Amino acid sequence: MQHLNRAPLNGLRAAEAVERLGSLSAAARELEVSTGAVSQQIARLEAALGRTLFDRRPGGMRPLPGTEEIFRLLGNGFDHLSAAVDLTRRDRHSTLTVSVAPIFAARWLIWRIPDFSRAHPDIRIRLDSDVALVDPNTGAADFTIRIGPGPYPGVSAEPLFPQRVIPICHADVAARLPSPDALRQVPIIRDLQAMYSWDSWLSGAKANDSGLRAADLPAGPDFNEASLCLDAAMTGAGVFLAFETLCIDALNRGQITAPFPEWKTTGGQYWLISARDRSLTTPQRRFRQWLMDAIATEGMGSSPVPSHGQ
């Protein structure tokens, strides 16, 4: 830490910004100072370090060879500083940001958040619904909930429950399905973005005594979003292989039925992801405990298929 006393912080910020953004002018706009000020800060930094970091050319400043690791560490350092500042703000305002895939947010989590808010009225939840991966180490989110095989290096990843799938359809369609082999005679609704196939269910289902395979199933409506597939199944358009968090509430309400009440796992797992090597704040600890309790109470990943509506 003593070496930091020799390096002016403004100079470090200026150098990192110029290297990352590629020009003095872009760095000046981000730092809200003049280009001359950025140039002077870098010059003072180089003098303090006794080392030149940039090659100054008429076309701009370019990092010198051999400085790659210096700027990589500088970038990481400022990311962590930003995360620390953001963390203090979130603690002060008791705001919790959770990054969640859109379908998990819309079909499962958002319906349960009011329970958390009633139990913890002092904590405000902000859901960031996005398929893009978010690194909690940067301070962009307190938690990320994602599905995948794991493990995930560089973060703290806690398994929540396994992903399970089951065929679902309208009750009128289910009446025409005495066995999985009858799936050959009905439209199969497909999610073009699905990370699993029908073989995830067919290959291990006890009900599939005829050895039906995904390749044997007929065509049906295709959609690029799982929620549309669920809605199509509700209208009687065919049979859809749905994952648990998408269809569990519809099954519980009797809006849809499972003609073959047998869950099968896909190999995927839901994960609660947080920053590595960082203690959880009080709002984070409360949200984590509430989420774990909700999953356990509802038996996500373990309970039998709801019988209502079948």
Side-chain angles (χ1 to χ4, degrees), residues 3 17-19 50 72-73 77 89 112 161 166-167 186 188-189 206 211 241 254 259 296:
H3 296 301
V18 169
E19 189 276 336
R72 185 187 72 80
L73 291 173
R89 289 172 178 167
R112 290 151 179 85
F161 57 93
I166 196 168
V186 296
I188 300 299
I189 301 168
K206 296 176 183 177
L241 185 66

Side-chain angles (χ1 to χ4, degrees), residues 23-56:
S23 70
L24 279 171
S25 58
R29 285 192 297 271
E30 179 176 283
L31 299 175
E32 298 182 344
V33 297
S34 67
T35 55
V38 174
S39 180
Q40 291 171 13
Q41 288 168 357
I42 293 176
R44 285 196 289 270
L45 172 67
E46 290 176 328
L49 296 176
R51 172 172 181 163
T52 302
L53 300 174
F54 292 92
D55 180 14
R56 292 161 171 78

Side-chain angles (χ1 to χ4, degrees), residues 240-251:
F240 174 51
L241 185 66
F243 50 94
E244 186 175 9
T245 52
L246 173 69
C247 69
I248 191 63
D249 285 345
L251 284 170

Side-chain angles (χ1 to χ4, degrees), residues 162-167 196-208 241-244 260-268 301 303 305:
Q163 184 187 52
R164 301 191 297 176
V165 293
I166 196 168
Y196 54 86
S197 77
W198 265 89
D199 283 326
S200 297
W201 187 83
L202 292 169
S203 62
K206 296 176 183 177
N208 184 27
L241 185 66
F243 50 94
E244 186 175 9
F260 317 111
E262 187 178 351
W263 294 109
K264 301 305 296 184
T265 59
T266 66
S303 289
V305 180

Side-chain angles (χ1 to χ4, degrees), residues 7-308:
L9 181 59
N10 285 341
L12 291 171
R13 289 183 65 206
E16 188 277 334
V18 169
E19 189 276 336
R20 172 168 47 83
L21 299 173
S23 70
L24 279 171
S25 58
R29 285 192 297 271
E30 179 176 283
L31 299 175
E32 298 182 344
V33 297
S34 67
T35 55
V38 174
S39 180
Q40 291 171 13
Q41 288 168 357
I42 293 176
R44 285 196 289 270
L45 172 67
E46 290 176 328
L49 296 176
R51 172 172 181 163
T52 302
L53 300 174
F54 292 92
D55 180 14
R56 292 161 171 78
R57 299 179 181 180
M61 298 173 65
R62 297 291 180 269
L64 286 170
T67 60
E68 295 85 2
E69 184 68 4
I70 294 173
F71 286 113
R72 185 187 72 80
L73 291 173
L74 267 182
N76 289 342
F78 280 111
D79 282 343
H80 286 298
L81 284 173
S82 176
V85 172
D86 191 60
L87 192 62
T88 62
R89 289 172 178 167
R90 272 189 252 133
D91 257 346
R92 184 170 66 249
H93 298 296
S94 295
T95 298
L96 197 73
T97 300
V98 185
S99 174
V100 193
I103 292 177
F104 185 91
R107 293 289 184 170
W108 194 84
L109 185 59
I110 198 170
W111 299 98
R112 290 151 179 85
I113 286 296
D115 291 336
F116 175 84
S117 297
R118 282 190 290 269
H120 304 286
D122 57 323
I123 301 175
R124 185 166 66 93
I125 293 289
R126 177 181 180 272
L127 290 185
D128 182 3
S129 177
D130 198 338
V131 295
L133 295 177
V134 174
D135 183 0
N137 291 305
T138 67
D142 293 275
F143 288 115
T144 296
I145 300 175
R146 289 294 186 272
I147 183 170
Y152 298 97
V155 296
S156 175
E158 187 172 8
L160 295 175
F161 57 93
Q163 184 187 52
R164 301 191 297 176
V165 293
I166 196 168
I168 59 168
C169 60
H170 190 278
D172 292 344
V173 177
R176 296 153 46 195
L177 299 172
S179 70
D181 197 60
L183 290 169
R184 301 174 190 267
Q185 311 303 323
V186 296
I188 300 299
I189 301 168
R190 289 179 172 83
D191 173 15
L192 300 178
Q193 303 297 322
M195 296 184 292
Y196 54 86
S197 77
W198 265 89
D199 283 326
S200 297
W201 187 83
L202 292 169
S203 62
K206 296 176 183 177
N208 184 27
D209 53 11
S210 68
L212 185 70
R213 298 176 303 169
D216 302 323
L217 298 175
D222 292 340
F223 300 94
N224 66 351
E225 211 270 339
S227 285
L228 295 177
C229 295
L230 174 64
D231 292 339
M234 288 181 179
T235 69
V239 181
F240 174 51
L241 185 66
F243 50 94
E244 186 175 9
T245 52
L246 173 69
C247 69
I248 191 63
D249 285 345
L251 284 170
N252 280 323
R253 290 191 294 261
Q255 296 173 304
I256 206 79
T257 188
F260 317 111
E262 187 178 351
W263 294 109
K264 301 305 296 184
T265 59
T266 66
Q269 181 91 12
Y270 288 90
W271 299 84
L272 182 66
I273 300 172
S274 57
R276 181 185 61 183
D277 301 330
R278 187 187 301 165
S279 298
L280 296 182
T281 64
T282 297
Q284 285 175 319
R285 289 196 302 272
R286 290 178 179 174
F287 178 81
R288 177 194 171 278
Q289 188 59 57
W290 168 82
L291 181 63
M292 295 297 185
D293 290 344
I295 290 169
T297 299
E298 297 188 26
M300 298 300 293
S302 60
S303 289
V305 180
S307 59
H308 179 72

